[in-house]
Amino acid sequence: MNTEKALEVYRYHLEPGSIFTCAEAAMVSAVLGTCVAVCLHDRRLKIGGMNHFLYPKAKAFTRPDSQYATVSIPALIKQMQRQGSRLQDLEAQIFGGGESVSSIIGGNIGHKNVKIARKLLKKNGIKVISEDVGGLKGRRLIFHTGTHEALVMTTPRIRRGDYYPYRQRLNA
């Protein structure tokens, strides 16, 4: 199989603070360290979406946006509902939330991201069917919105090359 031809199907790469939903099946990728990606799938409509957030919640002096789970997860759910999804038809997968030396010293941000993701999904009655979270490695994630299949590749440390070919293909 031609590797370059196979890579062409990965159409969307989510940078931190991004949200993606689509009424058609698509491949979505992200590179995760302490960040978390929540992947939602509608079993009835066979559509899905994904977010990529950096922090659990905004501080009092910070303007909340989709970098924060408390904004990103409700926005992802709302976008799915706009496409016809019902809460009872949604299921979730959670990825990321790794530890770094600085996060262990300053409070594990990855753990906090995973914890709030679980809390917000539970609050909305969305079952988490799988997760690959925590640990000391970064993750490269590829998610198929139509089938709810995810491919997770771990890496000892996230490097610029971990974003290739996703970032390059988007900028081409």
Side-chain angles (χ1 to χ4, degrees):
M1 172 160 62
N2 182 339
T3 306
E4 286 191 36
K5 181 85 171 153
L7 292 174
E8 287 180 40
V9 299
Y10 305 122
R11 294 200 173 107
Y12 305 97
H13 178 77
L14 287 188
E15 296 291 332
S18 300
I19 302 169
F20 175 87
T21 60
C22 187
E24 297 177 17
M27 300 293 269
V28 187
S29 66
V31 177
L32 308 165
T34 59
C35 296
V36 165
V38 172
C39 301
L40 291 182
H41 181 255
D42 184 311
R43 295 181 305 271
R44 180 177 53 91
L45 298 176
K46 305 292 186 225
I47 63 171
M50 183 169 116
N51 68 4
H52 181 178
F53 62 88
L54 292 93
Y55 311 108
K57 59 184 177 179
K59 305 281 187 218
F61 56 87
T62 309
R63 183 172 174 230
D65 61 28
S66 58
Q67 293 184 74
Y68 302 97
T70 53
V71 174
S72 186
I73 293 173
L76 174 62
I77 293 168
K78 191 170 281 193
Q79 285 183 22
M80 292 291 292
Q81 289 176 314
R82 284 187 193 129
Q83 292 184 32
S85 293
R86 303 177 305 204
L87 288 176
Q88 65 265 29
D89 296 323
L90 295 177
E91 53 191 18
Q93 296 184 79
I94 304 172
F95 301 98
E99 300 175 32
S100 68
V101 173
S102 60
S103 71
I104 293 169
I105 294 167
N108 187 342
I109 191 79
H111 176 75
K112 291 175 184 176
N113 281 338
V114 171
K115 186 176 176 181
I116 199 159
R118 289 176 182 147
K119 179 181 175 181
L120 291 169
L121 291 166
K122 184 176 181 177
K123 177 182 173 185
N124 284 280
I126 299 172
K127 182 179 178 183
V128 176
I129 62 164
S130 73
E131 54 183 46
D132 186 341
V133 299
L136 296 173
K137 294 188 176 190
R139 291 169 176 83
R140 290 176 281 175
L141 168 65
I142 301 170
F143 172 64
H144 189 286
T145 62
T147 63
H148 203 37
E149 294 174 315
L151 173 65
V152 179
M153 298 164 277
T154 59
T155 180
R157 70 182 210 288
I158 296 173
R159 303 166 304 261
R160 181 177 176 90
D162 290 329
Y163 293 92
Y164 176 84
Y166 316 114
R167 180 172 288 152
Q168 183 182 36
R169 191 164 303 288
L170 287 176
N171 294 332

